[in-house]
Amino acid sequence: MANIDFSAEIRALRATYESIERVTDVEALKEDIAELSERAGEPNLWDDPAAAQKITSRLSHRQSELERLTSLEARIDDLEVLVELGQDEDDADSMGEAAAELESIKKALKDLEVVTLLSGEYDEREAVVSIRAGAGGVDAADFAEMLMRMYLRWAERHGYPTTVMDTSYAEEAGLKSATFEVKAPYAFGTLSVEAGTHRLVRISPFDNQGRRQTSFAAVEVIPLIEQTDSIEIPDNEIRVDVFRSSGPGGQSVNTTDSAVRLTHIPTGTVVSMQNEKSQLQNRAAAMRVLQSRLLLLKKEQEDAEKKALAGDVKASWGDQMRSYVLNPYQMVKDLRTEHEVGNTSAVFDGEIDDFIDAGIRWRTDNRNADNNS
């Protein structure tokens, strides 16, 4: 603590805060809050519950964003006063408190700085996350279920509402696939860095010889479609199949053919939904996810065409983006950012913010490199 140069540290905090403030555009943020507050106060707001939920959710997020900014500025001011008092009175307790608050403010500024990097076209959207078991048999299905729990726990830690839209259970254990929504502003921009192939290495609990097994699961993240998006899908391009929903181990959870599978014939994109009670609800949910996937596919094709015109032949992230090793040692490592953690239990319990932050910074650096090339 005696080695801390508080004057230099506080100057650095203010410089970081000012750069975040410039990027955030506080005046535009205040205008957005005023407009949303006016819309939220309209007497007929809840005539359309889905639209009302979006407005109130966005308002709450914007207000929280402004509060985080203003409170951080106040905390830096208070820290400066605390340091002055502690130094004047040679108060070790005050200086200890100042050192702890300095680290806390640094962490808060780092978190806020990451949010300012979410500037992609669909980054503000809510997200639809799909997880699919890959190679590895029953271990892969179990791994898919572990990943689903990890993301749901992450969302729970942040207070983000989630809705499980589809679960296809494997015969012995785990999931063949699952799809769920994360209903929070910037959920897509935040979670999109989690997309890719995840690898698990462990002693298989399903192998009676106790051998080490490597298994894989794929994570897909797409932005949720909005009413303003222009994605029209002709009826003759969609094949609709209905089937009976089922639970773990093949147990029936529905006695009617309420589950729906939509296939977009031109692209081969398949979406299935079975967690709603009626076929109509499942079809509407499946259509929304199908539109979201086609929207993202359209953007990816446009981006690929732009890169081709620019002569850019750089590869994307590649197949494996993260390894979860439980044996012979404990380590979770992101293969793009090199970020690694030894506490695998905490990661599977949803503590993945550092991986997400590192991924967002990595993506931003790559985007900037592409733009400058």
Side-chain angles (χ1 to χ4, degrees):
M1 186 172 63
N3 296 327
I4 298 176
D5 184 345
F6 280 101
S7 295
E9 292 283 4
I10 290 171
R11 281 198 302 273
L13 291 180
R14 291 198 187 282
T16 302
Y17 174 82
E18 286 167 6
S19 68
I20 292 172
E21 191 178 38
R22 283 194 298 272
V23 171
T24 305
D25 192 348
V26 176
E27 288 308 311
L29 183 58
K30 289 178 179 177
E31 289 173 8
D32 200 14
I33 289 171
E35 180 189 341
L36 289 166
S37 298
E38 186 176 337
R39 292 172 66 187
E42 293 175 357
N44 60 346
L45 173 71
W46 289 97
D47 289 352
D48 184 346
Q53 182 64 44
K54 285 184 179 295
I55 291 169
T56 55
S57 176
R58 185 175 177 83
L59 175 60
S60 175
H61 180 79
R62 290 301 204 202
Q63 288 172 330
S64 296
E65 197 175 345
L66 183 61
E67 170 62 24
R68 285 174 74 184
L69 269 171
T70 54
S71 65
L72 270 172
E73 186 176 30
R75 285 176 66 186
I76 296 171
D77 291 340
D78 292 344
L79 174 63
E80 192 166 32
V81 172
L82 180 62
V83 169
E84 289 175 0
L85 289 173
Q87 290 174 338
D88 289 345
E89 299 177 10
D90 197 20
D91 185 346
D93 288 342
S94 293
M95 298 309 292
E97 184 183 343
E101 177 65 355
L102 173 65
E103 291 306 311
S104 178
I105 294 173
K106 279 184 179 179
K107 173 68 167 61
L109 282 172
K110 178 189 170 189
D111 292 344
L112 196 56
E113 193 174 29
V114 168
V115 174
T116 67
L117 300 177
L118 300 179
S119 57
E121 184 176 356
Y122 303 116
D123 281 355
E124 289 192 15
R125 301 285 184 90
E126 297 174 1
V128 178
V129 181
S130 294
I131 300 170
R132 186 181 69 257
V138 66
D139 275 277
D142 190 51
F143 183 33
E145 188 166 33
M146 291 164 67
L147 288 177
M148 181 177 177
R149 180 185 181 277
M150 180 181 80
Y151 290 122
L152 292 177
R153 286 285 291 128
W154 172 83
E156 183 183 331
R157 287 171 179 271
H158 287 275
Y160 299 155
T162 56
T163 300
V164 177
M165 306 172 75
D166 180 59
T167 44
S168 176
Y169 293 95
E171 289 184 11
E172 188 172 343
L175 299 168
K176 292 179 183 177
S177 62
T179 299
F180 57 93
E181 290 180 341
V182 181
K183 299 178 180 179
Y186 289 96
F188 172 70
T190 303
L191 286 172
S192 55
V193 295
E194 291 293 298
T197 300
H198 297 239
R199 181 182 70 162
L200 174 68
V201 180
R202 66 174 178 180
I203 298 295
S204 172
F206 306 102
D207 186 328
N208 55 19
Q209 297 182 44
R211 291 173 295 191
R212 193 160 69 238
Q213 172 80 21
T214 299
S215 54
F216 300 86
V219 175
E220 176 196 62
V221 185
I222 58 176
L224 191 62
I225 196 83
E226 292 185 353
Q227 291 179 352
T228 54
D229 296 317
S230 54
I231 293 290
E232 295 294 332
I233 310 175
D235 290 341
N236 62 0
E237 291 187 356
I238 300 175
R239 185 175 71 245
V240 181
D241 298 302
V242 295
F243 57 98
R244 190 160 296 180
S245 302
S246 62
Q251 296 174 358
S252 175
V253 296
N254 197 328
T255 57
T256 62
D257 292 337
S258 62
V260 174
R261 182 184 298 109
L262 300 183
T263 303
H264 184 242
I265 298 167
T267 63
T269 304
V270 179
V271 175
S272 62
M273 292 292 149
Q274 62 174 324
N275 282 33
E276 299 292 349
K277 294 190 181 300
S278 78
Q279 187 183 121
L280 194 63
Q281 289 174 310
N282 280 319
R283 178 166 179 158
M287 180 60 76
R288 194 166 71 248
V289 173
L290 179 61
Q291 288 176 314
S292 295
R293 285 185 175 162
L294 294 180
L295 178 72
L296 191 60
L297 183 63
K298 179 183 174 185
K299 184 179 187 303
E300 288 173 349
Q301 289 171 340
E302 289 172 352
D303 289 346
E305 288 169 6
K306 289 175 185 175
K307 287 187 176 183
L309 288 171
D312 186 349
V313 293
K314 290 182 181 178
S316 59
W317 292 353
D319 286 341
Q320 296 177 38
M321 48 81 73
R322 187 174 303 149
S323 286
Y324 305 73
V325 180
L326 305 185
N327 183 276
Y329 53 89
Q330 303 265 315
M331 179 69 70
V332 180
K333 181 174 182 177
D334 195 292
L335 305 178
R336 306 157 303 170
T337 67
E338 301 296 317
H339 182 72
E340 59 185 45
V341 170
N343 189 346
T344 57
S345 296
V347 171
F348 280 119
D349 197 39
E351 291 186 17
I352 57 172
D353 281 323
D354 288 344
F355 283 103
I356 290 173
D357 290 355
I360 291 170
R361 293 179 187 278
W362 176 89
R363 179 177 63 191
T364 302
D365 290 343
N366 276 269
R367 282 176 177 172
N368 291 339
D370 286 344
N371 291 335
N372 293 330
S373 61

